[in-house]
Amino acid sequence: MQEERLDTAHQAWDRRWADPTTRASWNQPEPAVTELVPALVARGVRRVVDVGTGIGRHALVFARASFEVVAIDASPTGLAELRREADAQGLRIDTRLAPFTSLPIDDDSIDHVLAWNVLYHGDADVVRTAFSECRRVLHPGGTTQLTMLSKRHRAFGAGREVRPDTFVDDQSAGDKSHPHFYVDATTLTAMLTDAHLEALSVVDIDQQPPGSFHWTVLAEAAVRER
């Protein structure tokens, strides 16, 4: 029997980004992202990557803060919308079409990576690859802010378990209709450590709607063993 594909999230989001109503509901940046900007400026951050940028709500924030921004997504429709908005605001953003498991970025070339509500679209192996990619592009001491689905999330266990802790809810009309991976604190910490990412802050936060628990992580790129 053919194994179920895990890399389908971008297809669903590409269809959503074509809908003006959906786009309008994703225009506002997350406060946790915008609140970090002054600290990034104070650290001397210059080059930022927004992984899974969608229509670029956070990439636009970074560009307005005068960072050099690379926005990456596997949805061509989302990137097209971002380019239109960036042009309208007179902002320069480098958009690149690619999956989050294979970032088209040179090693050790980035100061900060954002991956907000993105890297859990797959299973544990997908997440490990994504964490390694985030670390690969960061220079030692660079930072990443990312989120992961918590096992406290109301959708944990809903639908079919296609891999360990990875579920597809075929009855869902929304985002959970493709694979999502959930973690507890122990697993998350171990995965970060394996990727040579040193956690500075790990908090289990309830997003909207209520019951949407996500781990919010700020981590620093540790020196990789040679």
mmCIF file of all heavy atoms in Angstrom, residues 179-202:
data_model
loop_
_atom_site.group_PDB
_atom_site.id
_atom_site.type_symbol
_atom_site.label_atom_id
_atom_site.label_comp_id
_atom_site.label_asym_id
_atom_site.label_seq_id
_atom_site.Cartn_x
_atom_site.Cartn_y
_atom_site.Cartn_z
ATOM 1 N N PRO A 179 -1.572 16.428 7.367
ATOM 2 C CA PRO A 179 -0.830 15.966 8.547
ATOM 3 C C PRO A 179 -0.307 17.078 9.450
ATOM 4 O O PRO A 179 0.244 18.077 8.977
ATOM 5 C CB PRO A 179 0.325 15.166 7.935
ATOM 6 C CG PRO A 179 -0.197 14.707 6.616
ATOM 7 C CD PRO A 179 -1.050 15.835 6.122
ATOM 8 N N HIS A 180 -0.479 16.862 10.755
ATOM 9 C CA HIS A 180 0.042 17.750 11.790
ATOM 10 C C HIS A 180 0.706 16.908 12.875
ATOM 11 O O HIS A 180 0.161 15.897 13.302
ATOM 12 C CB HIS A 180 -1.081 18.580 12.429
ATOM 13 C CG HIS A 180 -1.563 19.713 11.575
ATOM 14 N ND1 HIS A 180 -2.247 19.508 10.397
ATOM 15 C CD2 HIS A 180 -1.450 21.063 11.724
ATOM 16 C CE1 HIS A 180 -2.543 20.692 9.861
ATOM 17 N NE2 HIS A 180 -2.065 21.640 10.643
ATOM 18 N N PHE A 181 1.866 17.369 13.324
ATOM 19 C CA PHE A 181 2.660 16.663 14.330
ATOM 20 C C PHE A 181 2.607 17.434 15.649
ATOM 21 O O PHE A 181 2.744 18.659 15.669
ATOM 22 C CB PHE A 181 4.106 16.544 13.840
ATOM 23 C CG PHE A 181 5.052 15.936 14.835
ATOM 24 C CD1 PHE A 181 4.961 14.595 15.173
ATOM 25 C CD2 PHE A 181 6.049 16.706 15.425
ATOM 26 C CE1 PHE A 181 5.848 14.027 16.088
ATOM 27 C CE2 PHE A 181 6.935 16.155 16.339
ATOM 28 C CZ PHE A 181 6.831 14.807 16.667
ATOM 29 N N TYR A 182 2.410 16.702 16.753
ATOM 30 C CA TYR A 182 2.254 17.302 18.084
ATOM 31 C C TYR A 182 3.373 16.817 19.008
ATOM 32 O O TYR A 182 3.788 15.658 18.929
ATOM 33 C CB TYR A 182 0.896 16.911 18.684
ATOM 34 C CG TYR A 182 -0.296 17.347 17.875
ATOM 35 C CD1 TYR A 182 -0.669 16.647 16.727
ATOM 36 C CD2 TYR A 182 -1.068 18.444 18.258
ATOM 37 C CE1 TYR A 182 -1.775 17.039 15.972
ATOM 38 C CE2 TYR A 182 -2.178 18.836 17.511
ATOM 39 C CZ TYR A 182 -2.518 18.127 16.374
ATOM 40 O OH TYR A 182 -3.616 18.526 15.640
ATOM 41 N N VAL A 183 3.833 17.701 19.908
ATOM 42 C CA VAL A 183 4.933 17.344 20.805
ATOM 43 C C VAL A 183 4.633 17.749 22.248
ATOM 44 O O VAL A 183 3.845 18.664 22.503
ATOM 45 C CB VAL A 183 6.260 18.008 20.385
ATOM 46 C CG1 VAL A 183 6.781 17.441 19.093
ATOM 47 C CG2 VAL A 183 6.111 19.532 20.299
ATOM 48 N N ASP A 184 5.301 17.063 23.171
ATOM 49 C CA ASP A 184 5.346 17.514 24.559
ATOM 50 C C ASP A 184 6.686 18.207 24.791
ATOM 51 O O ASP A 184 7.529 18.290 23.885
ATOM 52 C CB ASP A 184 5.130 16.352 25.530
ATOM 53 C CG ASP A 184 6.140 15.216 25.337
ATOM 54 O OD1 ASP A 184 7.228 15.448 24.760
ATOM 55 O OD2 ASP A 184 5.834 14.087 25.765
ATOM 56 N N ALA A 185 6.888 18.716 25.990
ATOM 57 C CA ALA A 185 8.091 19.503 26.281
ATOM 58 C C ALA A 185 9.362 18.680 26.130
ATOM 59 O O ALA A 185 10.369 19.161 25.591
ATOM 60 C CB ALA A 185 7.994 20.079 27.689
ATOM 61 N N THR A 186 9.320 17.444 26.593
ATOM 62 C CA THR A 186 10.514 16.599 26.538
ATOM 63 C C THR A 186 10.948 16.328 25.111
ATOM 64 O O THR A 186 12.131 16.453 24.755
ATOM 65 C CB THR A 186 10.252 15.262 27.269
ATOM 66 O OG1 THR A 186 9.908 15.528 28.635
ATOM 67 C CG2 THR A 186 11.479 14.364 27.219
ATOM 68 N N THR A 187 9.993 15.974 24.265
ATOM 69 C CA THR A 187 10.304 15.695 22.856
ATOM 70 C C THR A 187 10.794 16.939 22.148
ATOM 71 O O THR A 187 11.773 16.898 21.386
ATOM 72 C CB THR A 187 9.062 15.137 22.141
ATOM 73 O OG1 THR A 187 8.642 13.935 22.794
ATOM 74 C CG2 THR A 187 9.359 14.846 20.678
ATOM 75 N N LEU A 188 10.128 18.060 22.388
ATOM 76 C CA LEU A 188 10.529 19.301 21.736
ATOM 77 C C LEU A 188 11.944 19.694 22.119
ATOM 78 O O LEU A 188 12.764 20.043 21.245
ATOM 79 C CB LEU A 188 9.548 20.413 22.114
ATOM 80 C CG LEU A 188 9.875 21.815 21.605
ATOM 81 C CD1 LEU A 188 10.008 21.835 20.094
ATOM 82 C CD2 LEU A 188 8.814 22.811 22.071
ATOM 83 N N THR A 189 12.265 19.632 23.395
ATOM 84 C CA THR A 189 13.607 19.998 23.848
ATOM 85 C C THR A 189 14.665 19.097 23.229
ATOM 86 O O THR A 189 15.731 19.564 22.795
ATOM 87 C CB THR A 189 13.681 19.921 25.385
ATOM 88 O OG1 THR A 189 12.723 20.819 25.947
ATOM 89 C CG2 THR A 189 15.072 20.284 25.877
ATOM 90 N N ALA A 190 14.362 17.797 23.153
ATOM 91 C CA ALA A 190 15.315 16.857 22.563
ATOM 92 C C ALA A 190 15.526 17.145 21.077
ATOM 93 O O ALA A 190 16.670 17.087 20.583
ATOM 94 C CB ALA A 190 14.819 15.425 22.750
ATOM 95 N N MET A 191 14.470 17.473 20.367
ATOM 96 C CA MET A 191 14.591 17.749 18.932
ATOM 97 C C MET A 191 15.395 19.022 18.683
ATOM 98 O O MET A 191 16.190 19.089 17.740
ATOM 99 C CB MET A 191 13.205 17.839 18.291
ATOM 100 C CG MET A 191 12.430 16.530 18.327
ATOM 101 S SD MET A 191 10.749 16.668 17.662
ATOM 102 C CE MET A 191 11.054 16.271 15.940
ATOM 103 N N LEU A 192 15.196 20.020 19.509
ATOM 104 C CA LEU A 192 15.980 21.249 19.383
ATOM 105 C C LEU A 192 17.459 20.969 19.650
ATOM 106 O O LEU A 192 18.335 21.427 18.901
ATOM 107 C CB LEU A 192 15.461 22.300 20.366
ATOM 108 C CG LEU A 192 14.089 22.915 20.067
ATOM 109 C CD1 LEU A 192 13.583 23.695 21.266
ATOM 110 C CD2 LEU A 192 14.147 23.821 18.834
ATOM 111 N N THR A 193 17.724 20.215 20.704
ATOM 112 C CA THR A 193 19.109 19.887 21.047
ATOM 113 C C THR A 193 19.781 19.118 19.921
ATOM 114 O O THR A 193 20.937 19.395 19.569
ATOM 115 C CB THR A 193 19.152 19.070 22.348
ATOM 116 O OG1 THR A 193 18.579 19.849 23.407
ATOM 117 C CG2 THR A 193 20.583 18.701 22.708
ATOM 118 N N ASP A 194 19.083 18.145 19.356
ATOM 119 C CA ASP A 194 19.641 17.352 18.258
ATOM 120 C C ASP A 194 19.988 18.222 17.053
ATOM 121 O O ASP A 194 20.909 17.903 16.296
ATOM 122 C CB ASP A 194 18.657 16.266 17.833
ATOM 123 C CG ASP A 194 18.519 15.155 18.862
ATOM 124 O OD1 ASP A 194 19.366 15.083 19.783
ATOM 125 O OD2 ASP A 194 17.557 14.370 18.771
ATOM 126 N N ALA A 195 19.249 19.310 16.868
ATOM 127 C CA ALA A 195 19.495 20.217 15.743
ATOM 128 C C ALA A 195 20.522 21.297 16.075
ATOM 129 O O ALA A 195 20.772 22.191 15.259
ATOM 130 C CB ALA A 195 18.186 20.875 15.306
ATOM 131 N N HIS A 196 21.115 21.226 17.281
ATOM 132 C CA HIS A 196 22.082 22.226 17.744
ATOM 133 C C HIS A 196 21.440 23.607 17.864
ATOM 134 O O HIS A 196 22.038 24.626 17.502
ATOM 135 C CB HIS A 196 23.309 22.270 16.832
ATOM 136 C CG HIS A 196 24.022 20.958 16.726
ATOM 137 N ND1 HIS A 196 24.787 20.426 17.737
ATOM 138 C CD2 HIS A 196 24.047 20.033 15.729
ATOM 139 C CE1 HIS A 196 25.274 19.257 17.375
ATOM 140 N NE2 HIS A 196 24.835 18.988 16.170
ATOM 141 N N LEU A 197 20.215 23.593 18.391
ATOM 142 C CA LEU A 197 19.512 24.821 18.725
ATOM 143 C C LEU A 197 19.326 24.861 20.238
ATOM 144 O O LEU A 197 18.701 23.974 20.815
ATOM 145 C CB LEU A 197 18.156 24.881 18.024
ATOM 146 C CG LEU A 197 18.192 25.031 16.499
ATOM 147 C CD1 LEU A 197 16.810 24.784 15.901
ATOM 148 C CD2 LEU A 197 18.699 26.423 16.104
ATOM 149 N N GLU A 198 19.887 25.869 20.875
ATOM 150 C CA GLU A 198 19.828 25.993 22.331
ATOM 151 C C GLU A 198 18.625 26.845 22.718
ATOM 152 O O GLU A 198 18.556 28.033 22.395
ATOM 153 C CB GLU A 198 21.111 26.633 22.854
ATOM 154 C CG GLU A 198 21.153 26.765 24.363
ATOM 155 C CD GLU A 198 22.451 27.382 24.849
ATOM 156 O OE1 GLU A 198 23.424 27.439 24.065
ATOM 157 O OE2 GLU A 198 22.483 27.803 26.021
ATOM 158 N N ALA A 199 17.660 26.246 23.406
ATOM 159 C CA ALA A 199 16.435 26.943 23.769
ATOM 160 C C ALA A 199 16.710 28.064 24.767
ATOM 161 O O ALA A 199 17.329 27.838 25.807
ATOM 162 C CB ALA A 199 15.424 25.964 24.339
ATOM 163 N N LEU A 200 16.252 29.269 24.448
ATOM 164 C CA LEU A 200 16.326 30.397 25.366
ATOM 165 C C LEU A 200 15.012 30.581 26.098
ATOM 166 O O LEU A 200 14.975 31.033 27.244
ATOM 167 C CB LEU A 200 16.670 31.676 24.595
ATOM 168 C CG LEU A 200 17.955 31.648 23.775
ATOM 169 C CD1 LEU A 200 18.107 32.947 22.990
ATOM 170 C CD2 LEU A 200 19.160 31.413 24.669
ATOM 171 N N SER A 201 13.909 30.233 25.410
ATOM 172 C CA SER A 201 12.576 30.347 25.991
ATOM 173 C C SER A 201 11.664 29.330 25.303
ATOM 174 O O SER A 201 11.646 29.247 24.075
ATOM 175 C CB SER A 201 12.025 31.762 25.790
ATOM 176 O OG SER A 201 10.675 31.847 26.210
ATOM 177 N N VAL A 202 10.920 28.557 26.106
ATOM 178 C CA VAL A 202 9.950 27.591 25.579
ATOM 179 C C VAL A 202 8.681 27.731 26.412
ATOM 180 O O VAL A 202 8.684 27.420 27.601
ATOM 181 C CB VAL A 202 10.471 26.144 25.652
ATOM 182 C CG1 VAL A 202 9.433 25.178 25.109
ATOM 183 C CG2 VAL A 202 11.787 26.005 24.903
#
